[in-house]
Every structure is written in structure tokens, then in C-alpha cells.
Amino acid sequence: TVKYGQAGPVELGGDDLGAGLTLSATRYQAEGGRAFVVAVADEDQDEEASGSAVRGVAPLIRHLVESSEKAVLVVDSFGYLRYANDALVSLFHIADASMCIGRNIAHIPNRIGKTLTSIVLTTLARRAPVEGNKRFFLASGDSHTLNFSIMPFRVSSGLGGVVFTAEKVAANGI
């Protein structure tokens, strides 16, 4: 069964960078606790306006994943952290999330841990989804075994990234 929640339509106003754009998004909860989000631009918009969607996708996705119990991280195709929910900040013991958001993941392994940095950069390079169970070493020196998935996404021909989701494996391995 698939459950869903909706956000939008959200009007992304026009400015000197281009025309405005209307986006609507739907979050789907699939079996096994997996979730995915589909954001769609209004069909009446010009092809030229689609580039402006990028500026408005982050707040729309944030609305859909902010209350998730899973840790969620969004990294763009250039390696810059664009979003981390509270569950991720807590799970990875990030002292100050503002020192991570907007920075390149390759430059901050001392804040988020080397395992997360490595796996995200590898997925960005390969552009293929990854899921599994892995021990993540944190910046603090601690480690957690996490069930995780990383899903690449693409907004336009040159712009996309990955969405990382994870949850801690209980002590008994479940």
C-alpha cells in the first residue's frame, strides 16, 4: 500500500532570472518504510522557466521530509549540502548544522564523519542508487550501524544530486 501527503501548489515568483513557476509535490510512503517525493511543474509553463524550479524545490521537499523519523540529507550534484533534517543532525552528532549547510561535503568530513562523506561522493560519481547496512564513523569518533539508502535525482540536464536517508539499526540487529 502506498500512503501519501501533499504540498503545494507553491508559486515560485518570477524575477530577473526568469518567469515564475508553479510546483506541486506528493510524498509517497511505500511498504517497508520507504518514502519518495515527486515534484511536478505546472504544464502551462515555458521550457525556459523550468530552471527556476531549482530555487523552490528545497523548501517544498523540506516541508515533506522535516517530520520524518529517518535521517534525511540532500546534496546537490556539485557536492553541496542543501538540506539536513533534525534526525540527521542528531544521529550524526552535528554540533552546528549551519556550519554544514551550503558547504561542499568533501570539505567537512570532520563535521559529519568520513563514512557519510565517502558514500555520498561515490554515489554522486556513479549516479546509481545504493542501499544497505553499513557502519558509519562519526566525526566524534563514535560509530553507528545504519540501514541507509541513497537515491540520485535530476531536476534538469545539469542539475540534480542525491537524497540520503538512514535509520539506526537496533542493538539486536533489527
Side-chain angles (χ1 to χ4, degrees), residues 20-143:
L21 184 68
T22 301
L23 288 180
S24 295
T26 305
R27 175 184 60 194
Y28 296 92
Q29 286 291 135
E31 290 183 11
R34 300 201 56 182
F36 59 96
V37 176
V38 177
V40 180
D42 185 357
E43 293 180 20
D44 296 333
Q45 300 296 321
D46 295 335
E47 290 286 326
E48 300 271 329
S50 63
S52 62
V54 176
R55 294 190 311 272
V57 170
L60 192 60
I61 291 174
R62 180 179 301 134
H63 170 75
L64 294 168
V65 300
E66 222 162 39
S67 61
S68 175
E69 293 178 14
K70 289 187 175 185
V72 178
L73 176 72
V74 178
V75 178
D76 71 18
S77 56
F78 302 106
Y80 289 91
L81 274 74
R82 296 300 174 196
Y83 175 76
N85 70 351
D86 291 338
L88 184 116
V89 170
S90 174
L91 184 64
F92 281 85
H93 303 203
I94 298 171
D96 187 1
S98 67
M99 296 299 290
C100 298
I101 304 299
R103 300 200 48 205
N104 193 295
I105 196 165
H107 301 159
I108 57 170
N110 59 333
R111 295 190 187 277
I112 61 172
K114 292 180 180 178
T115 310
L116 181 57
T117 299
S118 173
I119 201 163
V120 167
L121 290 172
T122 301
T123 304
L124 280 170
R126 292 184 181 163
R127 297 183 185 143
V130 177
E131 63 180 53
N133 181 304
K134 186 173 182 70
R135 183 175 227 54
F136 283 76
F137 294 96
L138 310 179
S140 64
D142 294 338
S143 67

